[in-house]
């Protein structure tokens, strides 16, 4: 085993232990939480090693990096999650490789993704990204729709050809009332998810939690945690 593969295996084992402990603490089953490894800024060779180590879900946040990586790893058994802010002119590219888009935050993007999915002959799983630090009608600095916009966006996704409404996602806010309290933000996301499922019962994905706050996310009911640096190492630059 290469040194890098051994390092990734060790990091993965540590993250796995954290998820398992968090599940035990929350009284949840381990299989109810999916680990999505965020590979942004790391090379396709790392993605391949992760696949060899049993990782099945990977995430990227920039199309220009993700598209070539997904192409280089097309033969690996991986689901690709797109988790970054998405310009409508990138929708077509993303629809070519992504299985899930976690960052749906405005009606224009729903329209663009739907057209792109149809054109690519693919179905895209979509999550509505919620921002807890924005006012009604705005999109947050790191993407995300205001909580009161979620329901209409979800309806739009559910009605769009080529898209499948899967659930909700958030990134713990750095500003606003929940700054420094990821658990509270995740609990609010869970409430939004519960309301969403009343209208769309199959939309049961709750994507929350990163390297620093995955325990809080599992406690609050996350079904998908998005973990980057704890598996791959600290990124040299903000990615
Ligand atoms: C980078 C990123 C993550 C992973 O963050 P880490 O702190 O490296 O675990 C999760 N979600 C999104 C949207 C990201 O951009």
């Amino acid at each position: 085993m290469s040194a890098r593969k051994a390092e990734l295996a060790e990091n993965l084992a540590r993250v796995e232990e954290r998820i398992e402990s968090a599940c035990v603490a929350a009284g949840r089953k381990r299989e109810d939480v999916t680990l999505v490894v965020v590979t942004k800024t790391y090379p396709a060779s790392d993605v391949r090693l992760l696949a060899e180590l049993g990782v099945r879900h990977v995430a990227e946040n920039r199309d220009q990096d993700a598209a070539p990586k997904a192409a280089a790893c097309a033969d690996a058994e991986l689901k690709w999650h797109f988790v970054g802010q998405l310009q409508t002119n990138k929708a077509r590219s993303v629809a070519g490789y992504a299985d899930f888009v976690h960052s749906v935050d405005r009606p224009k993007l729903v329209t663009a993704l739907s057209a792109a999915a149809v054109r690519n002959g693919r179905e895209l799983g979509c999550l509505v990204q919620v921002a807890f630090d924005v006012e009604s009608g705005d999109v947050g600095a790191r993407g995300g729709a205001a909580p009161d916009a979620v329901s209409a966006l979800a309806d739009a996704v559910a009605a769009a050809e080529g898209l499948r409404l899967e659930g909700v996602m958030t990134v713990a806010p750095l500003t606003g009332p929940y700054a420094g309290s990821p658990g509270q933000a995740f609990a609010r996301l869970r409430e939004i998810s519960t309301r969403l499922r009343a209208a769309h019962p199959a939309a049961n994905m709750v994507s929350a939690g990163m390297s620093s706050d995955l325990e809080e996310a599992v406690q609050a009911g996350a079904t998908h945690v998005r973990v980057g640096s704890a598996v791959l190492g600290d990124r040299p630059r903000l990615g």
Side-chain angles (χ1 to χ4, degrees), residues 38 40 61 83 169 171 210-211 226-229 235:
V38 183
K40 66 185 181 197
N61 72 335
V83 300
M169 176 272 217
V171 178
M210 319 201 298
S211 293
R226 310 177 308 268
V227 180
S229 51
R235 288 178 294 276

Side-chain angles (χ1 to χ4, degrees), residues 56-97:
R56 288 293 165 260
H57 296 266
V58 293
E60 288 282 329
N61 72 335
R62 290 177 198 214
D63 175 62
Q64 56 270 43
D65 303 330
K69 265 190 244 184
C73 301
D75 56 322
E77 222 181 279
L78 289 166
K79 297 280 185 205
W80 289 82
H81 297 247
F82 192 86
V83 300
Q85 276 186 277
L86 183 51
Q87 301 303 315
T88 51
N89 63 0
K90 298 284 168 65
R92 204 169 141 192
S93 172
V94 168
Y97 58 85

Side-chain angles (χ1 to χ4, degrees), residues 30 41 78 109 113 119 133 164 167 174 187 228 237:
R30 171 63 190 91
T41 76
L78 289 166
L109 186 54
L113 284 171
R119 191 174 187 138
D133 53 0
R164 194 174 63 245
L174 297 174
R237 283 187 205 88

Side-chain angles (χ1 to χ4, degrees), residues 14 57 86 116-117 133 167 175 182-183 219 232:
R14 255 200 305 270
H57 296 266
L86 183 51
D133 53 0
T175 59
Q219 183 63 45
L232 288 137

Side-chain angles (χ1 to χ4, degrees), residues 114-213:
S114 172
V118 169
R119 191 174 187 138
N120 280 280
R122 302 187 73 230
E123 194 178 57
L124 280 181
C126 291
L127 291 79
V128 175
Q129 182 178 350
V130 189
F132 290 111
D133 53 0
V134 299
E135 300 293 328
S136 185
D138 283 349
V139 169
R142 297 187 298 163
D148 67 3
V150 171
S151 159
L153 268 174
D155 290 347
V157 170
E161 211 182 330
L163 306 184
R164 194 174 63 245
L165 179 66
E166 292 280 11
V168 288
M169 176 272 217
T170 202
V171 178
L174 297 174
T175 59
Y178 301 109
S181 311
Q184 284 179 36
F186 298 154
R188 269 210 73 198
L189 184 71
R190 179 52 189 246
E191 288 168 20
I192 290 170
S193 165
T194 301
R195 244 177 289 139
L196 179 72
R197 278 179 288 129
H200 304 280
N204 56 11
M205 281 176 69
V206 180
S207 168
M210 319 201 298
S211 293
S212 61
D213 52 23

Side-chain angles (χ1 to χ4, degrees), residues 18-19 21-22 209-220 225:
R18 285 177 60 192
I19 296 173
S21 307
M210 319 201 298
S211 293
S212 61
D213 52 23
L214 74 86
E215 283 83 3
E216 286 90 340
V218 169
Q219 183 63 45
V225 291

